[in-house]
Amino acid sequence: TQLLEQSPQFLSIQEGENLTVYCNSSSVFSSLQWYRQEPGEGPVLLVTVVTGGEVKKLKRLTFQFGDARKDSSLHITAAQPGDTGLYLCAGGGVSGNTGKLIFGQGTTLQVKP
Amino acid sequence: DTGVSQDPRHKITKRGQNVTFRCDPISEHNRLYWYRQTLGQGPEFLTYFQNEAQLEKSRLLSDRFSAERPKGSFSTLEIQRTEQGDSAMYLCASSLRAVGEKLFFGSGTQLSVL
């Protein structure tokens, strides 16, 4: 069974702090996606990484895909209260279907003003 | 582009009743996915369609679950004889099959089985 382990599961920080969320697996994925989900809503795609070692930046968010395509990280610089939410990583390419995703259990981020 | 629409947003039912959810994908998207998410967990894949063909079903999908996409547009997910363990958020997503496939999720249907 392919699993994605996210850590930490819960993070509460002050506005302005930096943080990193990790996503690890023993399996290789053809792509790794990061989503943000608000309570009562569906996940919203932030980024897709497909190449081992790839780094993508989205304003204050930096995403990295491990060289072996088994792990990924999300780093947020100078967190703001608007960053509060559930962050999910998801591995794609299972059985050749890039839309069939294996999700991690999520990291709940709370940024206090 | 109105996004993926799901109806109803919330459903409360008694154990043993049947329920049906609807998903309207983004109009030009040919792939449609159903996922289920329980509290404190990430979504789990249930099934997906390419146009009107249901190409894969998860082992999570018992015989009580059935999904259709009759004309390759909207889809329905029916649960028969609901059980308390069926309580979850049911999420629909659509995509355009392509390199770097991106899934667009709806807001989900929250099912509570009493």
Side-chain angles (χ1 to χ4, degrees), chain A residues 33 35 37 40-43 45 88 95 97-101 103-105, chain B residues 9 31 33 35 37 40 42-43 45 48 56 91 101-103 105-107:
Chain A
Q33 302 180 8
Y35 290 82
Q37 187 176 23
E41 298 294 330
L45 179 66
L88 294 158
S95 65
N97 180 349
T98 54
K100 180 182 177 182
L101 302 175
F103 280 86
Q105 75 271 42
Chain B
R9 289 294 307 275
R31 282 192 171 183
Y33 296 82
Y35 283 80
Q37 185 177 23
F45 170 82
Y48 94 99
E56 187 172 352
L91 292 162
E101 182 174 1
K102 296 182 180 180
L103 265 60
F105 282 86
S107 297

Side-chain angles (χ1 to χ4, degrees), chain B residues 8-49:
Chain B
R9 289 294 307 275
H10 304 275
K11 179 70 177 178
I12 300 174
T13 190
K14 292 183 179 179
R15 190 174 50 189
Q17 298 294 305
N18 300 341
V19 294
T20 300
F21 311 140
R22 177 180 170 122
C23 171
D24 287 273
I26 294 172
S27 58
E28 65 269 24
H29 284 184
N30 56 358
R31 282 192 171 183
L32 186 148
Y33 296 82
W34 285 99
Y35 283 80
R36 179 172 68 188
Q37 185 177 23
T38 54
L39 199 61
Q41 299 296 319
E44 295 175 297
F45 170 82
L46 293 179
T47 187
Y48 94 99
F49 294 82

Side-chain angles (χ1 to χ4, degrees), chain A residues 23-46:
Chain A
C23 179
N24 295 292
S25 175
S26 58
S27 302
V28 175
F29 293 99
S30 63
S31 67
L32 203 295
Q33 302 180 8
W34 285 92
Y35 290 82
R36 181 163 167 262
Q37 187 176 23
E38 301 277 359
E41 298 294 330
V44 175
L45 179 66
L46 296 174

